[in-house]
Each structure stands twice: as structure tokens, then as C-alpha cells.
Amino acid sequence: MRVHRLEIEAFGPFADRVVVDVDALSAEGLFLIHGPTGSGKTSLLDAICFALYADVPGSRSKRGLRSDHAGPDAVPRVTLELTAGTRRLRITRSPEFLRPKKRGTGVVSVQAMVTLEERRGSRWVALSTRNDEVADVVKDALGMGMAQFAKVVLLPQGDFAAFLRATPEDRREVLERLFDISAFSDVEAWLAEARRTAGADLEAARSTLEALLVRVEDVLADAHDAAGDPVTATAEVPTESVGTHLRAVAERLDSRVSTTMAAFDAASGAERAAAEALAAARALDDLRTRGERAVARLETLEAARPRHVERVATLAAAERAAGLRGHLTALDRAVDDVTACRRQVERTREALPAGPLADLPDDTVAEVLARLRALDDTVTAIARETDDAALRARQHAELDDRTAGLAALAERVGAALADAEAEREVLTAEVEERAAGAGRVPELELVLRATRERVTVLDVAERDLARAEALAPRHADLRGTALDRRSELLDLRQRRLDGMAAELARALSEGDPCPVCGGLEHPTPATVSDPVLPGDIAQAEHRLEAAEAQLRSVEAEIESLRTRAGTRLAALDGADRDALDRAVSEATAAVAAARADADARAGLAARLEVVSRAAQEHRTAVAGTVARLEAATAALDDLAAVAAAADDRIRALGAEHADCPCGSPDPAEHRRAARSLTDLAAAVTQLGGAEARLASAAADLDAAREAAGFDDADSARTALLGPTELGRLRAAVTAHVDDIAAARAVTDDPDVVAALAADPPDLPALQAVDRAAREALLTTAAAQDDAARALRSLERLLPLVDEACARVALGAERDARVRELADTTSGTGPDNTLRMRLTAYVLAARLETVATLANERLAVMGGGRYLLEHSDERAARGARSGLGLRVLDQWTGRVRDTATLSGGESFMASLALALGLADAVREEVGGLDLGTLFIDEGFGSLDDDSLEQVLTVLDGLREGGRAVGVVSHVADLRTRITHQAVVHKGASGSTVEVRVG
């Protein structure tokens, strides 16, 4: 990667546009960036990093990058031209910032923007304006993230001075960010997970075996309860002998099943004999009971014989009278019809109108009705003409009303048309007035959304801080638990050491030499009451590891929450909740006002459209109303001519109807008289028919009565019975006969006769014998079922127990193997004497490479006195080892701690380490050629000779066309390095002057 040109505007301390031609500065390969403290030297490097990664290294917030010296309308912007591989790229990036509102007071948030271009031929081609796409292109082109770039290209000497003196654990964190060791960390995580999985599988296998053994114990306990013979599994049987022991138990259960089957067969025969004897006794008892009941029933029926004879006579008379029921009913119906017809004739006469028709004889009714019906058409014509005249009168009145209404409507519609025209002009002016406010809604909504997002950032930050505070008690508890576990482990180890003599003593036997002193006599061997085994220490180490893992997890979560909260609060640039709430309120009010204008404009536009349509409708209505008014006037004239002709027709029809029997010129009276005469004629006809039917019914009844043997109709009516009573009487006669027959059939049965002659059986005694036999059968059946069920259950469980035992043995072997390997890679195993994790081991190799590369520069800068060495000595008090650094003083031949170096020596060692680390990272990411390097500060601690040696090394970096930029305010460098970018600071902001030669 090579930087060509950097352009800055309103960024950091630079208020105005600043252009740094890096190609011109790096013509000699080495250039200087200098200026007074606080002028903005490091801000130039921040600008390069921001253009590439949209962020700046260190603790500075990217939300505060806009220059405080810039004008209110200035847009902060960084443009960087660089070559990466074969591609020439130009990145223009602007951070998020606040600018004053164009209208009113307050500020609005402007979103961050980015543009990526590539040089193709003689022109720049835009590639993307999306932040994620630009980040992908930069990562692919440079092959490193911001953390690596800040350490490899910018070379912040202060950071590497700290790296030189850091603890191995802190040094590991830095190396993990710079080197990709994800594959080895994945191996560590996989092995740790495999250790947990193997332990869990072993516990699951043991739990399964324990559950199966509990089931076996339950089965054998049930067998013991059923038979009284104790058959149980031994709880102390070893796992490998459980199957053999249970098979022996199964053989004993099989013998018990055979014994219970023989007892069941004997009890079954005794139960069958007792049941058969009881069934025979019950049958004899039932026959005796039936015979005794039949004899008693015959005696009762013989006593009721007189009442039975009386019911038979009554039934015979009722059945003969039943044949006359239809004739009697027909006679009664004929009498009722004649009576009803006479009443109907009287009622119809009462409905006739007063006059000649009221006294009309029955035999002349038909003639008078015919005369009246002959004039029905004349009456219909009179009624029709009368109705037409009434209709014309109503139409005339309606036309008069319509004419008056149309005249009033024409006047109203004209006035409404004038009002609509006036309202349309007013609405047009108001719509134009509201258009300006409505157009600002999108802009104001964007401002409101940005302000609310800042409030959301504050809410999330406060929630993270609250969660971090809530985790403090748990952190304290876990820290206490970890300390307790550590104390427990140390105590066990001490007890283990104290008991080593007793362990050796237990292995001694008379005549064998002591492994400590070699003596053959052992007069007082050591003893210990509570020995500590290696497994106890391993379990304590596992508990300590689990407690420390939980503690680290909570600490990481608390640190993550506080870091995220700090980042979000820094992004707010010190704005508190009151200020943010005021900004939201102001933005909400502005949006509400603009939306009100938009809503009002939409309503006014809709109203304007309605009013315009209404005006057009009013114009159409005026023309239609005038046309309808003229049509109504013509219709009034036509009605007058029709009415004159109708009056002549009505007079002629009245003369023709003058001789009608109804005696009234009113058509309604004529029709009423016709209906009354019609009803009277029908009633007279019906009366004649009813009298004829009465005479015929009386003759038919007399003939049938004589045939049935009754003297008159009243005696026949007396003998009649209703269907229900007749059925009940017939059923009583039949039941008496059937009861006698049934009782005699029972008393004549030979079995009943024999049972009555025999002695009664002793049922209670036979029932007691049957009950005892059945209980004995159930007892033997239950014993057999329990023994057989226990045997079947045990036979089903045996393969499962064998399989579970095999799984426990296999799981124990795998758990031991995986645990040993995982403990070794995690640095906690007994074989890992340096307590180095796998990732630390890999990083140690990287650090050794870094030290080798750094010594190539340090040998020149330090005059060959010092060499950096990688150290894997074991750290004190159980700390992790493998990432130590020390200094070899070749003048004295002694190894020194890095903290013993002087200020200048520390700078040279740190610079050499930074350059070596940059070379190592470059090799790690694929040998990327770094065409431009920057070294930030630290030269002020060097004397003249050391400075000369350092510059010699920097001159060596220029080989191959590499450009090296030195950031420093040391005055002596200004005479040694001729190509310079001078940063001047002032009250209105900083500026940059490029000096070449």
C-alpha cells in the first residue's frame, strides 16, 4: 500500500481545506511531519485511518471529528488517494455531524457519507457509496483491519513501549489482535467442549445404569413381597459383575414360576367343583320358588271368577253397539247441519240493506239477484269514471304544487351557484398559501428521526450501565467463590505433600528396601488418617477452573457493557437527556406544524375539488329546473280538456242505473247489495240439502238398530264404550284367562313337581365353600403372575443393564483421554509445566519471529549492544507463561529485564520491536508490500549518536521505493530530513505547509 495524496477539510484542528502531496514529500523516501504540540500532526494520521476504516485509533470519538474552528455550513471531509496492489483508489469520507437549522433555531444531524472511486485509464470511476461495500473493498485490498493497520503502518511508538514492558497476559491480548490464531483457538474451544461432552456422556451413562439397577431392585422387591422369599440384588456388586449376578437371580425366579403353576392347577380344580355344586343348588331353589308362586296365583284367580263373568257380558254388549256408532254419528251430524243452515239464513237476511230487499221471500231471491247482476258492468263504469275524476283532481293539485316548487328551486339553485363560485376563489388562494409549509415535511421528519436515534443511544447506554451495576454483586460472589476454590486446592496439595510419606509406607513390605533411604528395616512407617488422592486434587482443579471461567465471563460482560455504554455516550458529544429531550420536542413541534400545513392543504384541495364539482352541478340544475317548470304548465292545460269530456259520460251511466233493485246510485251500495243477495241465495240452497241428508240418516239408523237387537237408539247409545275403556275391558278379560293358563303350565311342569317334593338345599353353606375356593384360586394366580412378571421384567432389563455397563466403561476411558488432552491444551494439565495454552504457544512462536526481525534493526540502532530475547520461563505463583520478553546485554553477557533500559534505549528497542512486528504481520497477511510507513514521536529521548543510528535504520527502510514519514517536534530532525510537512496552529485553526528540499 502506498499513500499518494491526502486532502482534509473542516476535520480535527483544520478549519479550511488542507492538501498534503505525499508523493512530493516522499520523493527522497524519508520525510518529516513536525509542528508545535497540539497543532494536529497526529490528526493527519487519524485522517488517513478514518478515510480507510471510518474510525480513528485510540480513545478519540469519531463523532467529534468536525473542526470547532470551521464555519457553520462547512462539511467535514477527508479524501485519500492510495495504491493497493495494482489498484489506484480514492476514498472520500465525511463523518456524522450536527449543523444549524436553515430555518429557526437548533441543529440537525447530518448522516455520515462515503464515496469509493478507482482510477481506470485517465478517469476516476465511482464504485460504491455504501459503507459496508467500501469496508469490504478496503479489507480485500489491504488485507488487514484497523487494529493491524494502526500497528503496522502508523507505528505508534508509545503503544509499543508499553508492549515492550507488558505482562505476558497483556502481550497475548495485543498479539491476538494482530495475528490470526482463530484456528488454534477453535481447537482449544473444541477440546474444552469435547471435555464437557465426555464428562456429561459419562455421567449420563452412569445415571442410566443407576436407573436400570433401581428398576431391577423394584422388580425383585415385588417378587419378594408376593412369595415371601427374599430375592434381591446386592448393592455392592461391582459394575463388571452385575450381569452375572442378575442372571443367577433370574434362574431362581424361573424355579419359583414352576412351583406356583402347580399350585394354581390344584386350586383351579377345587374352585370348579365348588362352583358346580352351588349352581345345582341354586337351580333347585329356583324351581321350588316358581311352583309355590303358581299355586298361590291359581287360588287368587278362582276367587275373582264372578267379576270376570260380569266383564265378559259387558264386553259383548259394547261390541254389538260398536256396529251402530257410525249411524248414530251420522244422525247427530245431520241434525247439527240443519240447525246451522237455518241460523246462516237468518244471519244473511240481517245483512241485507233496509228496503224492499229486507222482506224478500226465499223462493224469489234467485230472480232478484239475476236482475241486479245484469247492471254490474254499468256500476263498474260509473265507479271507474268517478275514480278517474278524483285522480285528475289530485294530479291538478300536484301540478300546481310542482309549478310553485320549481319556481322556488330555480331561485335557490341560482343563489347556490353564486356561493360556490365565491368559495372556489377563496379555497384556491388558501391552497397556494399552505403549499410552502407542506413541502418541508420530509426534511423535518429526517431531523426528528436523527434526534430520536440520539435519545435511543442514550437509553441503551444507560441500560448497559445499569446492567453492569446489577452484575457487581454476582461478580463479588464469583470472586469469593474462586478464592475459596483456590484455597481448597492449595490445602489439598499441601495435605497431599504431607501424606506422601504415608503413601510410600503403605507400599513397603518386610525385606524390601525403602525407596527414600534404602533401608531394609521399617520400624515406624508413617501413617495418615485422611489421605488425599490424585483424583481429589484433579476434582479441586476442575472446580477452580469452572469458578475462574464463570468469574472471567462476568468480568468480560461487565467490561463489554461499560465499553459499549462509553462508546455510545461519547457519540453524543456530551449532550445530556434534557438537551436531547428539548431537541426532540423542538423537532416534533416543527414536524407537527409542517404536517398540519400538509394536512390542511390536502383538506383544502379536496374541498376545492368538491366545490368546483358542485358549481358545475348547480349550472346543470338551473337549466333542468326551467325545463321542468314549462312542462308542468302544459300538463295543467291538458287536464282541463279531459275533465269536460268525462262529466258527460258520468251523466249517461247514471240514467241507465236508475231502475236497479239496489235502490241507490252509489256503486258501493250496489256491490254491497249484490254480495248480500249472493250469500242469502247460497244459504237457502245449503238449508235444503241439510234437511234431505237428515231424513236419509234417520232411515239408515232404524234398519241397523233392529239388526243389532236394540229396542231404540238410546239403549244402543248406553251400551257404547269409548275406545280406551273398551280396550281396557278386553285386556282385563284376556289377562284373567292368560294368568290361569300360565299358572297351570307351571304347576304341571315335571321339574317343578319334583322340586316341590324334594328337600330344600343349604345355599349359605355351599356359597361359603365356593367363596373359599375362589379366594384360594386368586391367591395362587396372583403369586404365579407376580413371579412370571418379575422374570419377564428381569429378562427384558438384562440386555439393557449389559449395554449400560459397557457404555459406562467406554465413557470412563474416553473421558480420561479427552480430559488429559484438553487440560494440556488449556494450560491446566499436570504435564503442561509452563501452564501455556495452545494459542499462547502459537503466539510465542510469532513473538520469537518478531524478536528475530526486531534484532536486525536493533543491532544497528543500539550499536550491537542489545538483543531482544523471547522467554518461556515459568511465571511465579502459577501465572501463565510463554510470552516473556527480556534484553540480552552483549557487553556484559547478562540478561536484563526490559524495564531496566534507559529512555533512549527503550525508544530504540520499542522502535525495533514495532518494525519487527510490522514485518511479521505483513508476512502473516500474505507479504503485502507497505509502500508508506509513519513513525509517531519518541525521538526526543535520543542522544546525537543514537539518533544517527536510528536514522540509518530508517534510511534502510527506504530500500525498494518505500516512503517513511516521521512525526516529531524534535528540532534536530528538521536539518537532517529535508522533505517536510510543517503543521502551523493558530486561533482560526491549523494549516499545513509542504517543504521540498
Side-chain angles (χ1 to χ4, degrees), residues 510-721:
E510 192 65 32
D512 292 336
C514 176
V516 178
C517 64
L520 298 178
E521 296 182 359
H522 318 295
T524 55
T527 60
V528 64
S529 59
D530 187 13
V532 177
L533 303 178
D536 298 334
I537 295 178
Q539 291 178 0
E541 289 175 345
H542 293 162
R543 289 194 294 271
L544 174 59
E545 180 183 354
E548 290 179 343
Q550 290 181 346
L551 178 61
R552 288 194 298 272
S553 175
V554 172
E555 288 176 345
E557 184 175 1
I558 292 175
E559 181 63 23
S560 175
L561 289 171
R562 289 175 175 169
T563 301
R564 290 203 306 266
T567 301
R568 291 188 174 97
L569 291 175
L572 297 178
D573 299 329
D576 57 9
R577 183 169 295 279
D578 292 339
L580 293 177
D581 290 342
R582 286 195 302 273
V584 170
S585 299
E586 293 172 358
T588 302
V591 170
R595 287 176 177 169
D597 286 344
D599 294 342
R601 181 177 180 274
L604 291 171
R607 177 60 183 168
L608 177 60
E609 183 179 356
V610 171
V611 170
S612 299
R613 288 199 302 268
Q616 183 60 37
E617 292 172 356
H618 291 332
R619 293 191 191 95
T620 304
V622 168
T625 302
V626 172
R628 290 198 301 273
L629 181 59
E630 293 175 351
T633 303
L636 283 174
D637 296 338
D638 294 340
L639 278 178
V642 172
D647 290 342
D648 295 338
R649 290 195 299 273
I650 290 174
R651 284 193 294 272
L653 291 171
E656 184 178 350
H657 183 261
D659 296 333
C660 181
C662 70
S664 174
D666 186 0
E669 291 296 330
H670 176 88
R671 285 193 289 270
R672 190 159 43 250
R675 286 195 299 272
S676 299
L677 282 177
T678 301
D679 294 341
L680 179 59
V684 169
T685 301
Q686 290 176 355
L687 176 59
E691 289 175 345
R693 289 193 295 275
L694 177 59
S696 175
D700 292 341
L701 176 60
D702 290 341
R705 175 181 53 75
E706 291 176 358
F710 289 99
D711 297 334
D712 52 23
D714 292 337
S715 59
R717 289 181 189 277
T718 302
L720 276 175
L721 294 175

Side-chain angles (χ1 to χ4, degrees), residues 834-857:
L834 294 179
R835 294 180 56 79
M836 284 182 67
R837 292 168 52 181
L838 177 62
T839 52
Y841 179 78
V842 175
L843 291 176
R846 300 290 194 277
L847 182 59
E848 190 170 0
T849 301
V850 169
T852 301
L853 295 173
N855 286 331
E856 295 177 2
R857 272 80 178 206

Side-chain angles (χ1 to χ4, degrees), residues 351-413:
L352 290 173
L357 295 178
D359 300 328
L360 191 67
D362 293 342
D363 54 354
T364 62
V365 171
E367 178 186 355
V368 174
L369 178 60
R371 287 171 52 204
L372 189 142
R373 287 295 186 186
L375 294 173
D376 283 349
D377 292 340
T378 301
V379 171
T380 300
I382 292 173
R384 185 171 56 252
E385 291 294 342
T386 302
D387 293 340
D388 290 344
L391 177 61
R392 285 192 295 273
R394 289 194 300 272
Q395 290 176 345
H396 192 283
E398 289 174 359
L399 287 173
D400 287 339
D401 295 340
R402 184 183 302 175
T403 302
L406 288 172
L409 178 61
E411 183 177 356
R412 289 196 304 274
V413 171

Side-chain angles (χ1 to χ4, degrees), residues 68 81 213 324 777 934 953-954 982:
D68 296 333
E81 292 185 23
L213 293 179
L324 300 177
L777 177 63
F934 295 92
V953 172
L954 295 182
V982 184

Side-chain angles (χ1 to χ4, degrees), residues 735-986:
H736 184 85
V737 174
D738 293 342
D739 286 349
I740 291 176
R744 285 177 179 169
V746 172
T747 57
D748 294 341
D749 187 352
D751 293 336
V752 173
V753 173
L756 291 174
D759 295 331
D762 188 359
L763 288 177
L766 293 173
Q767 288 174 345
V769 172
D770 178 71
R771 185 163 52 252
R774 189 163 55 252
E775 290 176 354
L777 177 63
L778 292 176
T779 301
T780 55
Q784 179 192 358
D785 290 343
D786 290 343
R789 183 167 55 252
L791 179 61
R792 289 194 301 271
S793 300
L794 186 58
E795 289 174 346
R796 285 196 302 269
L797 290 173
L798 275 175
L800 301 179
V801 171
D802 293 339
E803 182 181 357
C805 291
R807 286 182 179 176
V808 169
L810 182 62
E813 179 183 359
R814 183 177 184 277
D815 178 68
R817 186 169 59 252
V818 172
R819 185 174 298 278
E820 179 182 3
L821 182 57
D823 290 347
T824 301
T825 57
S826 64
T828 60
D831 296 335
N832 192 336
T833 58
L834 294 179
R835 294 180 56 79
M836 284 182 67
R837 292 168 52 181
L838 177 62
T839 52
Y841 179 78
V842 175
L843 291 176
R846 300 290 194 277
L847 182 59
E848 190 170 0
T849 301
V850 169
T852 301
L853 295 173
N855 286 331
E856 295 177 2
R857 272 80 178 206
L858 186 58
V860 178
M861 288 188 290
R865 178 177 179 180
Y866 296 111
L867 290 178
L868 293 173
E869 288 187 350
H870 161 245
S871 172
D872 59 359
E873 289 184 356
R874 183 168 182 175
R877 293 184 295 277
R880 297 189 186 274
S881 310
L883 294 178
L885 273 179
R886 59 188 181 182
V887 177
L888 172 62
D889 188 343
Q890 297 192 103
W891 288 1
T892 63
R894 301 187 64 179
V895 176
R896 296 167 52 183
D897 189 90
T898 56
T900 63
L901 296 175
S902 65
E905 292 170 342
S906 295
F907 169 72
M908 289 187 291
S910 299
L911 179 58
L913 188 61
L915 295 173
L917 190 56
D919 291 341
V921 172
R922 185 167 65 252
E923 293 176 1
E924 180 79 12
V925 298
L928 178 67
D929 183 22
L930 299 179
T932 305
L933 293 178
F934 295 92
I935 301 174
D936 190 1
E937 289 298 346
F939 296 88
S941 60
L942 302 177
D943 56 28
D944 292 342
D945 292 338
S946 298
L947 182 60
E948 188 65 34
Q949 293 170 348
V950 170
L951 290 179
T952 300
V953 172
L954 295 182
D955 284 337
L957 294 177
R958 295 185 294 176
E959 296 177 358
R962 181 183 298 169
V964 180
V966 176
V967 181
S968 178
H969 52 43
V970 176
D972 195 27
L973 292 176
R974 302 176 192 173
T975 60
R976 296 171 178 265
I977 303 175
T978 58
H979 287 53
Q980 303 173 3
V982 184
V983 184
H984 304 283
K985 70 176 180 179

Side-chain angles (χ1 to χ4, degrees), residues 219-287:
V219 168
L220 299 180
D222 291 341
H224 164 64
D225 293 340
D229 181 17
V231 181
T232 57
T234 304
E236 300 298 328
V237 175
T239 301
E240 59 273 11
S241 303
V242 169
T244 303
H245 176 73
L246 292 182
R247 285 178 174 80
V249 173
E251 293 177 358
R252 294 170 59 192
L253 283 176
D254 185 61
S255 175
R256 177 182 297 173
V257 170
S258 300
T259 301
T260 55
M261 287 180 63
F264 174 76
D265 291 340
S268 178
E271 190 274 337
R272 281 196 301 273
E276 291 173 357
L278 178 60
R282 286 174 174 168
L284 178 61
D285 185 67
D286 290 342
L287 290 173

